[in-house]
Amino acid sequence: MFESDREGGKRLPGERDLEPKHFQNQPLKCSLCGKSFNRMESGSLPFCSVRCQQVDLGNWLNEGYGFPIESGELQEESDEDE
């Protein structure tokens, strides 16, 4: 858990940041819309907003994304089903 995730930004005793300080202030690019944003201000990493996070989830659920397969792999699977 990062300092920004906790109310008031305080850490528990013994808790430490998972990322070095020099990475925390570097801007990121949203993996969906490409907008630059500060990771410390976003609660939806690796996205800039909850909207982009939800759009990405919708793409996965509606099969907008997929993994490539070779045509031979598809034929082997259909042969096994018969």
Side-chain angles (χ1 to χ4, degrees), residues 22-61:
H22 63 276
F23 287 121
Q24 292 178 358
N25 293 327
Q26 290 182 345
L28 293 177
K29 227 174 212 190
C30 180
S31 59
L32 190 70
C33 72
K35 175 183 167 187
S36 290
F37 67 97
N38 183 336
R39 74 176 68 215
M40 300 305 286
E41 296 172 1
S42 175
S44 308
L45 291 176
F47 306 100
C48 64
S49 65
V50 172
R51 179 193 173 281
C52 283
Q53 189 180 42
Q54 294 296 315
V55 169
D56 183 71
L57 176 61
N59 287 337
W60 280 105
L61 295 176

Side-chain angles (χ1 to χ4, degrees), residues 65-77:
Y65 299 140
F67 295 101
I69 60 170
E70 299 293 326
S71 59
E73 291 177 16
L74 186 60
Q75 183 64 33
E76 290 173 12
E77 287 179 15

